[in-house]
């Protein structure tokens, strides 16, 4: 079952939201604070995080950074502060999408479905045979550490190879510089 973690302190908002998403067949968990959200994510994981920007204590921005440091989970930010949006979607924070409050619940559900559809389509295009990733005319062999494009070998440095292989394994996902540093550079 597809799991969605909703991070929002206003129950009058999170209640109808989780009701609607449950009705759509998603497994929904609500966290009311940033630390609760991190704990819930660490113990149960999630396929998507809906994250409110305005939270008491730890802000949505901090929660987003913390999640990004350990995971490439898609994150949709919810915010009433339109001037924040560029920064939210920017590389430093790495949210995948945003919804400007006020928004309709139906719009949110449509956005969630679209995000999952996009991911599904991406991973359908990605074939995996014996560890070799193929994407149209591009193949990446992680054992031999070889890359071919249109049947021609591509010369890459070890780091370039790691980066390409990492992106190929996470189609349709946006990563912050920090999470790439952590996950590729180690
Ligand atoms: Ca809030």
């Amino acid at each position: 079952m597809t799991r969605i973690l909703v991070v929002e302190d206003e129950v009058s908002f999170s209640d109808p939201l989780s009701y609607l998403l449950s009705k759509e067949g998603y497994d929904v968990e609500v966290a009311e604070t940033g630390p609760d959200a991190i704990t819930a994510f660490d113990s149960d994981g999630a396929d998507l995080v809906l994250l409110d920007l305005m939270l008491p204590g730890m802000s949505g921005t901090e929660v987003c950074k913390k999640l990004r440091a350990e995971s490439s989970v898609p994150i949709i930010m919810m915010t009433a502060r339109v001037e924040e949006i560029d920064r939210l979607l920017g590389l430093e924070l790495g949210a995948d999408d945003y919804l400007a409050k006020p928004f309709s619940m139906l719009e949110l559900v449509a956005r969630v479905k679209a995000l999952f559809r996009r991911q599904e389509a991406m991973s359908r295009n990605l074939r995996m045979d014996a560890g070799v990733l193929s994407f149209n005319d591009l193949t990446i062999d992680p054992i031999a550490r070889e890359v071919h494009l249109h049947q021609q070998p591509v010369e890459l440095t070890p780091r370039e190879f790691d980066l390409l292989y990492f992106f190929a394994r996470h189609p349709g996902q946006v990563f912050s510089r920090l999470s790439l540093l952590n996950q590729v550079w180690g």
Side-chain angles (χ1 to χ4, degrees):
M1 208 173 176
T2 308
R3 234 180 111 69
I4 300 180
L5 177 60
V6 175
V7 190
E8 167 66 271
D9 57 312
E10 290 148 69
V11 181
S12 63
F13 190 79
S14 60
D15 261 2
L17 186 57
S18 64
Y19 170 76
L20 206 62
L21 290 170
S22 308
K23 235 179 61 180
E24 291 291 330
Y26 299 113
D27 178 19
V28 184
E29 179 168 356
V30 177
E32 291 187 20
T33 68
D36 284 354
I38 306 287
T39 307
F41 186 79
D42 285 344
S43 56
D44 306 321
D47 300 296
L48 171 69
V49 179
L50 288 174
L51 180 56
D52 186 40
L53 187 68
M54 299 293 278
L55 295 166
M58 189 193 287
S59 73
T61 313
E62 285 304 308
V63 178
C64 188
K65 277 187 195 158
K66 280 202 177 343
L67 290 175
R68 267 291 166 269
E70 59 177 284
S71 162
S72 56
V73 64
I75 299 174
I76 298 182
M77 298 289 298
M78 303 181 287
T79 177
R81 289 201 252 160
V82 181
E83 69 275 11
E84 291 274 353
I85 285 165
D86 279 350
R87 204 167 61 80
L88 294 179
L89 294 178
L91 279 176
E92 289 303 319
L93 203 51
D96 297 270
D97 202 354
Y98 75 92
L99 279 157
K101 283 180 172 181
F103 52 80
S104 77
M105 291 289 161
L106 292 175
E107 185 190 351
L108 180 127
V109 170
R111 207 71 80 82
V112 167
K113 283 184 173 173
L115 197 140
F116 282 130
R117 259 201 315 274
R118 213 156 59 219
Q119 277 201 319
E120 220 173 274
M122 294 275 200
S123 50
R124 257 203 312 277
N125 287 339
L126 186 75
R127 230 176 42 246
M128 239 197 248
D129 305 311
V132 176
L133 300 177
S134 307
F135 193 87
N136 298 329
D137 282 328
L138 177 72
T139 64
I140 307 168
D141 183 340
I143 314 264
R145 293 180 68 88
E146 283 174 354
V147 174
H148 286 82
L149 183 62
H150 308 298
Q151 265 100 52
Q152 298 298 312
V154 180
E155 291 298 325
L156 294 176
T157 68
R159 198 62 85 192
E160 286 170 341
F161 178 89
D162 291 340
L163 203 53
L164 179 66
Y165 184 55
F166 180 81
F167 283 133
R169 280 182 298 137
H170 301 91
Q173 292 181 32
V174 176
F175 294 93
S176 67
R177 191 173 56 86
L178 188 64
S179 82
L180 284 176
L181 284 174
N182 285 333
Q183 296 187 66
V184 180
W185 274 256

